[in-house]
Amino acid sequence: GAGVSQSPSNKVTEKGKDVELRCDPISGHTALYWYRQRLGQGLEFLIYFQGNSAPDKSGLPSDRFSAERTGESVSTLTIQRTQQEDSAVYLCASSLPRWTTTWGQETQYFGPGTRLLVL
Amino acid sequence: RKEVEQDPGPFNVPEGATVAFNCTYSNSASQSFFWYRQDCRKEPKLLMSVYSSGNEDGRFTAQLNRASQYISLLIRDSKLSDSATYLCVVRSGYSTLTFGKGTMLLVSP
């Protein structure tokens, strides 16, 4: 079946512009995560959605970053007034509901990422 | 101290070698542990979960030492296709995973 998809795959923008990144999770996956990976660095958690619960926004680095998710489907990550330090690969992942697997062992499936370059 | 620390790498080994990766985590309340693999310019993919008793999957063996807050991954009889970055991943809270920076492995003929 289809995996996690993300669009665009690459985005080049000018400093100060807003960008919107999209993630389509695997069908039936109620959990959705956004991560950021700067060049040569590990993944940084940004935000987590689980069904209709309030999202965990604890990883968002500033108020320029926001994300939305409609029900259990598509999510968009918006970065306002982009800065050069926002340049990174933005990865989305989804997983099955916790109650379908051994607690804490649910696998996260990653999309291919969006490579963002802010000039 | 960083939440998840890994050997800096890269590790350069010949085909057939045995290689071990180490990882330490700072949060003693961490509950779940994983190794992910990330190929160059690709997304991470789950390699294996790490269970308290240790677990093996073919040429790969993962160990967990909760007292020392230490995780390891052993790869035996390494193949060219094992070349990748190996990410140590820890779940401490209800929702989030914390990723190490990864250790790059280069297997040469």
Side-chain angles (χ1 to χ4, degrees):
Chain A
V4 178
S5 61
Q6 293 186 243
S7 61
S9 53
N10 293 281
K11 176 72 177 179
V12 181
T13 191
E14 293 178 347
K15 178 181 173 181
K17 296 284 181 70
D18 297 353
V19 295
E20 190 173 276
L21 313 179
R22 176 187 169 109
C23 172
D24 279 275
I26 294 172
S27 177
H29 282 195
T30 58
L32 187 148
Y33 308 77
W34 282 99
Y35 296 90
R36 175 171 71 179
Q37 187 173 31
R38 291 190 167 121
L39 188 63
Q41 302 297 310
L43 275 71
E44 300 172 68
F45 165 76
L46 296 177
I47 189 168
Y48 160 69
F49 295 91
Q50 173 60 62
N52 294 317
S53 302
D56 177 354
K57 303 180 182 180
S58 60
L60 294 178
S62 78
D63 59 8
R64 296 188 295 106
F65 287 72
S66 62
E68 292 185 350
R69 188 181 186 193
T70 307
E72 295 180 354
S73 59
V74 171
S75 175
T76 54
L77 176 69
T78 302
I79 308 173
Q80 296 177 308
R81 305 180 302 282
T82 52
Q83 303 294 313
Q84 289 182 328
E85 62 262 27
D86 298 336
S87 296
V89 177
Y90 289 82
L91 289 156
C92 173
S94 70
S95 66
L96 284 168
R98 289 233 152 72
W99 52 88
T100 65
T101 64
T102 303
W103 190 88
Q105 294 296 334
E106 63 278 5
T107 300
Q108 291 190 15
Y109 296 86
F110 283 82
T114 294
R115 284 170 177 74
L116 174 66
L117 177 61
V118 182
L119 300 177
Chain B
R1 182 181 175 186
K2 294 179 182 173
E3 288 191 60
V4 179
E5 291 201 65
Q6 297 186 239
D7 294 330
F11 284 21
N12 288 281
V13 302
E15 272 187 289
T18 295
V19 60
F21 300 127
N22 301 316
C23 172
T24 57
Y25 59 95
S26 61
N27 187 343
S28 59
S30 297
Q31 293 152 320
S32 305
F33 310 91
F34 311 87
W35 285 100
Y36 275 70
R37 170 192 169 132
Q38 186 172 24
D39 291 287
C40 186
R41 297 181 66 82
K42 297 288 188 181
E43 70 274 20
K45 293 184 179 178
L46 179 68
L47 179 65
M48 59 197 302
S49 300
V50 186
Y51 299 106
S52 296
S53 55
N55 47 299
E56 188 174 304
D57 182 2
R59 297 181 293 108
F60 299 83
T61 301
Q63 295 282 347
L64 168 64
N65 184 322
R66 284 187 184 270
S68 301
Q69 295 178 205
Y70 169 89
I71 308 158
S72 66
L73 176 68
L74 185 76
I75 305 176
R76 292 181 300 278
D77 187 24
S78 52
K79 312 291 185 190
L80 295 177
S81 57
D82 294 335
S83 297
T85 296
Y86 291 83
L87 305 172
C88 176
V89 185
V90 173
R91 182 191 303 279
S92 299
Y94 181 68
S95 58
T96 62
L97 297 179
T98 302
F99 287 76
K101 283 189 176 182
T103 302
M104 183 182 290
L105 172 65
L106 299 170
V107 182
S108 54

